[in-house]
Amino acid sequence: MASKTAIVTGASGNLGQAVVKKFLSEGYHVVGTIVPNDPVPLDIDNKKLEKIVVDLVNEDDTDQFVQNIITKYSGIDAVVLTVGGFAMGTFANTKTADIHKQYQLNFETAYNIARPVFVQMLLQKNGRIFLIGSKPGLSADNSKGMIAYGLGKSLIFRLAELMNAEAKGTNVVTSVVVPGTIDTLQNRKAMPGADFNTWVKAEVIADCIYFYCTEEAGALREPVIKIYNNG
């Protein structure tokens, strides 16, 4: 059986690397995107991993990247879009420039790749797209003090709804993954007094995402996947 193909954006990040490793372990060809001049190395040695530098804010470059992958692999089976950004800010100190920055980092980087991938998957009549949401994007109560970030992430949920509405009747499904606090070295340093046992490991999130690509999850539609652990 031919190997399936997955694209993972933000492949050098904590979640990105966990997703890359999971899909490689399941036999996928994985195309991992990294940002220009990425300071974080993606040191995964696997012949089925292809690392490509892509500026996901550039719509034309991103579209060309997707077309190249389609040509090379004859299709795309799964896409996991982990690129994003974060910023604190109340209404008092959040300007439209701050909102635009978070919109670019959290929405445009997802939309620019999700759109051409979605079009291809509709032609294939099959595929899985995973957008990364957040608690502040899901609920206004969780957005206090994170105005620009919460607004940017909230659009991810509406995007998934629109894509699933258009894909209704096909086997193309867009999911939103909503992680709790991810157990990373950076988060432990930032919150040394927290109970790390309540956090969720990146590997657990990757396992959940992969499950939604399996035949066992094939009947699921319009999923919002809340992976909180006890956080």
Side-chain angles (χ1 to χ4, degrees), residues 88 91 134-147 149-151 154:
M88 299 293 293
F91 275 112
S134 69
K135 287 184 177 181
L138 183 63
S139 165
D141 286 339
N142 290 318
S143 289
K144 295 174 183 176
M146 296 172 274
I147 302 303
Y149 174 73
L151 287 169
S154 69

Side-chain angles (χ1 to χ4, degrees), residues 133-135 177-183 187 198-200 205 225-229 231:
S134 69
K135 287 184 177 181
V177 178
V178 188
T181 303
I182 303 177
D183 189 359
N187 283 339
T198 66
W199 293 359
V200 60
I205 299 172
I225 310 165
K226 300 177 182 179
I227 312 175
Y228 296 165
N229 195 8

Side-chain angles (χ1 to χ4, degrees), residues 40-227:
V40 182
L42 181 58
D43 296 327
I44 300 174
D45 185 17
N46 190 303
K47 64 182 181 180
K48 286 193 170 185
L49 172 61
E50 184 176 358
K51 309 168 195 176
I52 299 181
V53 175
V54 186
D55 179 5
L56 298 174
V57 175
N58 187 310
E59 186 172 14
D60 291 338
D61 288 355
T62 304
D63 184 76
Q64 187 59 57
F65 158 72
V66 172
Q67 301 312 318
N68 291 344
I69 298 306
I70 294 168
T71 299
K72 182 171 183 177
Y73 294 103
S74 302
I76 302 168
D77 297 284
V79 176
V80 186
L81 307 179
T82 77
V83 169
F86 176 77
M88 299 293 293
T90 63
F91 275 112
N93 56 21
T94 298
K95 297 185 177 182
T96 53
D98 301 312
I99 295 171
H100 184 254
K101 183 177 181 180
Q102 290 301 306
Y103 168 82
Q104 271 199 324
L105 289 172
N106 291 295
F107 183 77
E108 283 191 3
T109 59
Y111 186 81
N112 286 346
I113 192 165
R115 184 184 62 81
V117 166
F118 182 66
V119 171
Q120 171 62 25
M121 287 182 173
L122 288 179
L123 293 174
Q124 299 170 183
K125 297 182 173 58
N126 185 69
R128 295 292 182 271
I129 298 171
F130 297 88
L131 308 174
I132 306 300
S134 69
K135 287 184 177 181
L138 183 63
S139 165
D141 286 339
N142 290 318
S143 289
K144 295 174 183 176
M146 296 172 274
I147 302 303
Y149 174 73
L151 287 169
K153 279 294 190 184
S154 69
L155 288 171
I156 292 296
F157 294 88
R158 179 52 56 88
L159 176 60
E161 291 171 359
L162 290 167
M163 293 168 72
N164 283 323
E166 185 164 335
K168 190 172 183 179
T170 75
N171 194 31
V172 178
V173 179
T174 301
S175 302
V176 183
V177 178
V178 188
T181 303
I182 303 177
D183 189 359
T184 66
L185 182 60
Q186 297 94 321
N187 283 339
R188 288 190 177 215
K189 286 182 177 179
M191 295 173 274
D195 182 357
F196 306 144
N197 292 321
T198 66
W199 293 359
V200 60
K201 295 186 181 300
E203 291 78 12
V204 171
I205 299 172
D207 288 345
C208 291
I209 289 172
Y210 175 74
F211 170 74
Y212 276 75
C213 294
T214 64
E215 289 186 10
E216 290 80 1
L220 293 170
R221 294 293 183 273
E222 304 176 17
V224 175
I225 310 165
K226 300 177 182 179
I227 312 175

